[in-house]
Amino acid sequence: MKRGYFGDFGGQFVPELLMPPLLELEEAMGRILKSAEFQQEYTSLLKNFVGRPTALTHCQNLSRELGFNLWLKREDLAHTGAHKINNTVGQALLTKMMGKPKMLAETGAGQHGVATATAAALLDLECDIYMGAIDVKRQSHNVRRMELFGAKCIPVHSGTQTLKDAINAAMRVWIANQRTTHYCFGTAAGAHPFPLLVREFQSVIGREAKQQFKERTGEMPYMVVACVGGGSNAIGMFHEFVNEKSVKIVGVEAAGTGEPGCTNSAPINLGTPGVLHGMNTLLLQSDDGQILPSHSIAAGLDYPGVGPEHVHLHATGRAEFGMVNDSQAINAFQMLCQKEGILPALESSHAVAWVIENKDTIPKDANVIVNLSGRGDKDMDILDDYLAQHGK
Amino acid sequence: MSITTLADKINDANAKGRTALIPFLPGGYPNKESFWKEILELDANGADIIEIGMPFSDPVADGPVVEAASMKCLADGVNLKWIIEGLAKVRSQINAGIVLMGYYNPVLQYGLEKFAKDANGAGINGLIIADLPYEEGLEFRDLLAANEVALVPLVGLNTEPERMKLYADGGNGFCYFVSVLGTTGDRDSLPEEIKVGLKHAKDIFDIPVALGFGLKHPSQLEQLEGLVDAAVFGSALIRHIDDGKSCAEFMKVWT
Ligand SMILES: Cc1ncc(COP(=O)(O)O)c(C=O)c1O
């Protein structure tokens, strides 16, 4: 009877009032996603609107320095500047084919909000975005972008006023508006079927990377690496490689400022099992089961939970999950700018930082593909603040 | 104590010709000192069952009033242990049935087996978990039932009769019917379609049917004669207490 498990993790821990729309969504996925009409339309939008396939870049200069071959899957080149658009275009098309006129979404840093507003504008859907009041202030630029696309951005004043509370607010509004509205969830987490739905739309990343790499080298990569917030860009990269047993898989969590006991965003490394936002997963929580605030310099990684499939990949040993702190991420950010002329998002910088910090464990001349999940234009203010505070 | 205590309480009230009354108060509200006094006052003034909220940091089924009250309780250091131990001390003075209401994670961290045992020991008759639908709750329902504690099913306006039947089969305590497609919080009027849903619930469940979410005045129930065995009110009571008024005064309107 239970649905949507990856080993012991996942499930559907939602109010009964949300079961009908979740069941409706599961049914619609089964009916619509495989249809020729959907596939044709989606493939065409990915090519002609999103700009896929995105490039696979061999980092000449850094590779020489690191002693192995560093390749970047360039999701920063996708429309709106991050992988998020793969998911929102897919869900917007699904919303349309389900006959619903409206989407709602949560957003933390604002990247998923912008990507949802973009897809809604393209497909003529109404769009409401819920965003923690603190995030609205620190990401005002993205709020403005959403509004330009015709979406309404609604500040959430409850709880910690960040991403987790924006998800709570969006779930509440979905209960009341389920008949007309699709909840366009932003990452491979939450209640079933969202982890599967988001993986379906993001797995294009790994499929392209595998094919591009094969065309260029005739081989399989030694390792694939991605940062993990909720887990969508990571599962998008990993999914195609899970059954390629020779390929090592590494997810990178945000360790926050990095000292022992600091506020972090690393539930796989530092959390305990529990239930939040519809899923049984690993969480940052107190002994009493209250959810703790998270922190990362990368706003998009700032979440106290994680998608259940990653917890399963961790539990089975198929993937390894490392941690990178704020200053290591900033270092990788600057290195990529200076040596390769690429401005990465702070989220993606965590993945790059992991291979830099662990370069001695990677064999000479091995091929490592890092998913560069987004571009860093959005992070300039945060970078400047950080550098000013740390006297650089 | 028995698994039928909650149904018995509601049936007794109905036998006297009235709708059973189920006030809700978050554990430790308005503060830790006066909370148990408020509970005893609710009991002395006509409550048939009292629902005690287990505060949670991320209450997705609750509106702003209950959420703000729960956050205050958390800030004051209320946890499940405080509620269960406090209840064990005063339970013999309370005539009403006792139900705890909240979210799954705090109960999970407390330990499901330990919770079932301690709940029984403290005289808790039932448990309502807002984010534990049928599929995920079956095993816990059995564990609670083995300890004479009912897992109260929640259904609503969008629950098809087929799903109600799943909950009804082996369901105990009472059926909690959510009056609106939304969160807790008082509202001026209830949706028209509620009658259809309540009729299905009355037909399908052997246990009594309670209506909750959005109740603020007994007049809201006038249209629903014969369809509602019990009424739950939370936000309206919290607002009343926030205005500095007594529980006894609030209950007078309903009794
Ligand atoms: C560029 C970028 N990378 C990564 C993430 C983290 O999300 P996920 O773990 O779902 O990929 C975000 C989230 O906003 C993002 O904007």
Side-chain angles (χ1 to χ4, degrees):
Chain A
M1 278 308 267
K2 291 187 186 184
R3 274 184 293 271
Y5 274 80
F6 304 90
D8 292 336
F9 302 96
Q12 285 180 304
F13 295 86
V14 295
E16 172 56 36
L17 302 194
L18 277 180
M19 287 302 291
L22 288 176
L23 292 167
E24 180 192 9
L25 179 59
E26 190 175 6
E27 183 277 328
M29 282 168 61
R31 182 166 46 86
I32 296 170
L33 295 191
K34 297 281 172 287
S35 71
E37 190 193 358
F38 182 93
Q39 282 299 325
Q40 258 170 24
E41 185 77 21
Y42 183 55
T43 310
S44 162
L45 285 174
L46 285 186
K47 178 162 181 251
N48 303 313
F49 182 69
V50 174
R52 303 206 72 89
T54 58
L56 180 70
T57 301
H58 182 225
C59 296
Q60 311 264 358
N61 303 321
L62 266 179
S63 293
R64 224 173 290 123
E65 201 161 303
L66 293 169
F68 57 85
N69 286 305
L70 176 63
W71 301 75
L72 299 177
K73 179 59 177 161
R74 300 288 305 281
E75 293 302 296
D76 60 314
L77 298 177
H79 181 39
T80 70
H83 68 291
K84 298 281 178 190
I85 192 81
N86 304 325
N87 174 40
T88 59
V89 164
Q91 290 205 43
L93 200 56
L94 181 62
T95 304
K96 200 96 187 159
M97 292 190 178
M98 287 173 79
K100 300 198 174 194
K102 182 163 181 173
M103 287 199 293
L104 68 90
E106 82 294 341
T107 195
Q111 289 302 105
H112 176 59
V114 168
T116 306
T118 302
L122 176 73
L123 295 175
D124 192 24
L125 295 162
E126 272 183 81
C127 182
D128 285 354
I129 307 289
Y130 291 82
M131 188 169 185
I134 290 177
D135 290 331
V136 167
K137 272 206 198 102
R138 62 182 176 192
Q139 307 284 339
S140 57
H141 179 70
N142 272 339
V143 174
R144 186 83 191 95
R145 286 168 80 195
M146 289 176 229
E147 287 169 351
L148 280 171
F149 290 128
K152 204 156 85 196
C153 182
I154 299 138
V156 175
H157 294 279
S158 55
T160 59
Q161 308 190 23
T162 60
L163 175 59
K164 81 176 177 67
D165 307 282
I167 295 176
N168 295 339
M171 285 173 78
R172 288 176 183 135
V173 176
W174 199 30
I175 292 177
N177 299 287
Q178 53 189 263
R179 285 166 188 162
T180 56
T181 307
H182 171 66
Y183 182 6
C184 180
F185 201 71
T187 188
H192 174 70
F194 284 115
L196 287 178
L197 179 63
V198 176
R199 184 185 79 190
E200 171 85 16
F201 292 137
Q202 293 293 1
S203 55
V204 64
I205 300 172
R207 262 197 319 277
E208 280 179 11
K210 190 179 181 187
Q211 198 194 342
Q212 290 167 320
F213 189 73
K214 198 156 190 195
E215 282 167 9
R216 303 264 284 277
T217 67
E219 289 175 33
M220 267 304 162
Y222 168 75
M223 175 185 276
V224 294
V225 184
C227 68
V228 180
S232 69
N233 88 86
I235 206 66
M237 175 57 92
F238 298 169
H239 186 57
E240 186 69 17
F241 293 101
V242 165
N243 290 325
E244 301 289 353
K245 298 290 180 225
S246 70
V247 179
K248 290 188 192 302
I249 296 178
V250 179
V252 184
E253 294 193 303
T257 44
E259 72 280 7
C262 73
T263 309
N264 61 81
S265 301
I268 297 181
N269 280 282
L270 302 171
T272 52
V275 166
L276 177 71
H277 294 150
M279 57 180 166
N280 183 14
T281 186
L282 287 168
L283 298 172
L284 305 176
Q285 60 180 326
S286 71
D287 291 344
D288 290 336
Q290 307 298 339
I291 308 308
L292 297 173
S294 52
H295 171 75
S296 166
I297 195 167
L301 301 182
D302 199 337
Y303 179 57
V306 61
E309 190 167 7
H310 289 293
V311 179
H312 178 60
L313 289 173
H314 174 70
T316 56
R318 177 63 190 95
E320 175 190 343
F321 289 83
M323 282 193 289
V324 154
N325 66 35
D326 293 348
S327 95
Q328 293 167 329
I330 293 279
N331 176 51
F333 180 102
Q334 292 175 313
M335 271 178 91
L336 211 56
C337 288
Q338 288 158 16
K339 310 259 163 165
E340 301 291 341
I342 293 172
L343 174 68
L346 281 171
E347 292 81 7
S348 327
S349 302
H350 282 71
V352 178
W354 188 89
V355 300
I356 295 172
E357 301 296 326
N358 292 276
K359 65 175 192 291
D360 296 339
T361 68
I362 297 170
K364 191 170 149 27
D365 297 329
N367 289 300
V368 175
I369 303 180
V370 171
N371 192 26
L372 202 78
S373 54
R375 68 174 185 230
D377 308 54
K378 69 184 177 63
D379 296 320
M380 299 307 297
D381 291 346
I382 298 172
L383 177 77
D384 290 345
D385 284 353
Y386 184 91
L387 296 181
Q389 266 178 33
H390 292 75
K392 285 177 197 163
Chain B
M1 218 175 84
S2 103
I3 192 98
T4 64
T5 300
L6 296 173
D8 295 345
K9 294 282 180 197
I10 295 174
N11 291 334
D12 286 353
N14 295 165
K16 289 176 192 142
R18 56 182 188 84
T19 305
L21 301 177
I22 312 183
F24 164 90
L25 207 55
Y29 200 78
N31 54 62
K32 278 164 120 177
E33 288 66 43
S34 62
F35 175 71
W36 297 111
K37 192 178 80 39
E38 304 282 3
I39 296 295
L40 293 174
E41 196 173 315
L42 288 170
D43 184 55
N45 287 276
D48 297 290
I49 294 169
I50 299 170
E51 232 178 88
I52 298 174
M54 305 179 281
F56 180 48
S57 53
D58 294 79
V60 293
D62 285 299
V65 174
V66 173
E67 175 168 33
S70 304
M71 291 305 148
K72 179 182 182 298
C73 297
L74 281 180
D76 288 347
V78 172
N79 61 14
L80 256 179
K81 185 164 177 281
W82 184 86
I83 294 173
I84 292 173
E85 287 181 1
L87 186 61
K89 283 188 207 135
V90 299
R91 185 64 178 100
S92 62
Q93 304 168 51
I94 302 171
N95 201 21
I98 294 284
V99 170
L100 296 197
M101 166 150 193
Y103 295 82
Y104 194 44
N105 198 49
V107 177
L108 194 60
Q109 302 310 320
Y110 189 92
L112 299 183
E113 295 216 11
K114 181 171 157 55
F115 180 91
K117 254 186 34 223
D118 292 356
N120 176 299
I124 291 162
N125 308 108
L127 181 65
I128 303 173
I129 303 211
D131 57 350
L132 196 66
Y134 173 77
E135 289 80 352
E136 300 289 353
L138 263 189
E139 290 157 42
F140 192 35
R141 182 172 87 176
D142 291 345
L143 177 62
L144 287 168
N147 289 275
E148 313 270 311
V149 178
L151 182 63
V152 172
L154 278 165
V155 300
L157 293 169
N158 62 347
T159 312
E160 296 292 331
E162 274 57 47
R163 272 192 82 76
M164 283 193 194
K165 282 179 194 149
L166 293 177
Y167 283 107
D169 183 17
N172 38 46
F174 57 90
C175 160
Y176 191 134
F177 194 97
V178 177
S179 66
V180 290
L181 267 187
T183 54
T184 56
D186 45 6
R187 290 164 177 86
D188 288 327
S189 64
L190 298 176
E192 247 327 285
E193 58 191 309
I194 199 170
K195 283 187 197 166
V196 180
L198 281 170
K199 273 203 190 87
H200 282 145
K202 285 292 291 174
D203 286 348
I204 290 167
F205 284 92
D206 296 332
I207 47 181
V209 175
L211 186 68
F213 282 40
L215 299 188
K216 63 187 236 192
H217 198 271
S219 61
Q220 289 169 299
L221 299 180
E222 280 164 14
Q223 307 288 312
L224 304 172
E225 272 231 44
L227 294 175
V228 176
D229 304 314
V232 186
F233 30 82
S235 296
L237 174 59
I238 292 171
R239 276 189 212 277
H240 181 89
I241 290 176
D242 288 348
D243 289 344
K245 298 185 225 162
S246 75
C247 285
E249 203 180 321
F250 182 87
M251 292 300 288
K252 257 193 213 114
V253 182
W254 288 86
T255 46

